Amino acid sequence: MFDKNNKDIETLDTLIATTCDSIEGYRDSAEKVDDPQLAATFRECAQERTKVLESLQSQLVANGGEKRDEGSILGAMHRTYLGLKDAVTGSDRQAICNEIETGENYLKEKFDAALSQDELSPQTRQVIQTAQTEIARTGQPVSGIMPTAV
C-alpha cells in the first residue's frame, strides 16, 4: 500500500472540489434550460460526473484524506461554474452552453495540471488519468450541441 501522500491528497482534494462544481453546474443548467433534450443531456452529464467524483473520493480516502461532497468554499470566487448561475437565469440556451463550455475547459486545465505533477503516486495518477478520460467522454455530447446552440 502506498504511504499517505500529502501531494496526492492535495491534488485529489482540488479535483474533487472542481468536479463538484461541474456537477452543480450541470444540475443548475438542467433545471433552468427550456429545451427538454438539452436538460436531459445535462442531467446525464451530472450523473456521469458523479461517478468520476466517487472514484476520486475513493482514492482520496485510500491516501488518508477525508471524503467530501462539496465544491471549494474558499475558492468560490474562482469557480468557473459560478458564472453559470447568472447565465441560466434567463434560460438562454446559448449563454448556458457557453458557460458549460467554459467550465469544461477549466476542468480540463485542472486535470492537465494535476497530471503534470511528478510527485503523484502511480495509483493516484492512474485514477486521475481514468477520470480525465471519462470527463472528456462525457463532455462530448455538450460539445456536439454547441454549433446548434447559435
Side-chain angles (χ1 to χ4, degrees):
M1 181 175 179
F2 192 77
D3 292 324
K4 183 176 174 182
N5 182 327
N6 288 333
K7 192 61 171 177
D8 283 11
I9 291 171
E10 176 186 319
T11 301
L12 288 164
D13 196 47
T14 297
L15 295 176
I16 287 168
T18 307
T19 303
C20 285
D21 292 342
S22 173
I23 293 166
E24 189 62 32
Y26 277 117
R27 287 179 180 160
D28 285 348
S29 296
E31 290 176 17
K32 302 295 182 182
V33 71
D34 290 333
D35 180 338
Q37 185 176 4
L38 190 54
T41 299
F42 290 157
R43 283 191 295 275
E44 184 178 323
C45 287
Q47 288 173 345
E48 293 298 322
R49 293 293 159 87
T50 299
K51 292 175 188 175
V52 169
L53 175 65
E54 290 168 356
S55 72
L56 294 172
Q57 289 170 330
S58 292
Q59 186 62 26
L60 178 69
V61 171
N63 278 295
E66 290 185 32
K67 184 179 172 182
R68 62 199 225 116
D69 294 316
E70 57 190 39
S72 172
I73 294 170
L74 295 176
M77 291 176 53
H78 298 288
R79 283 190 212 161
T80 302
Y81 283 106
L82 198 60
L84 185 58
K85 292 189 180 197
D86 291 334
V88 298
T89 54
S91 299
D92 179 352
R93 179 183 169 133
Q94 181 64 46
I96 292 168
C97 288
N98 287 344
E99 287 300 322
I100 289 289
E101 184 177 32
T102 299
E104 287 296 306
N105 291 336
Y106 180 75
L107 191 61
K108 180 186 180 309
E109 289 171 11
K110 286 292 189 181
F111 274 83
D112 287 346
L115 290 170
S116 72
Q117 299 175 53
D118 293 329
E119 303 88 5
L120 295 177
S121 70
Q123 297 87 351
T124 295
R125 180 174 301 284
Q126 181 59 46
V127 168
I128 293 171
Q129 286 173 329
T130 301
Q132 182 183 45
T133 300
E134 187 61 19
I135 283 171
R137 186 189 68 75
T138 59
Q140 286 177 345
V142 177
S143 297
I145 303 169
M146 293 308 290
T148 61
V150 178

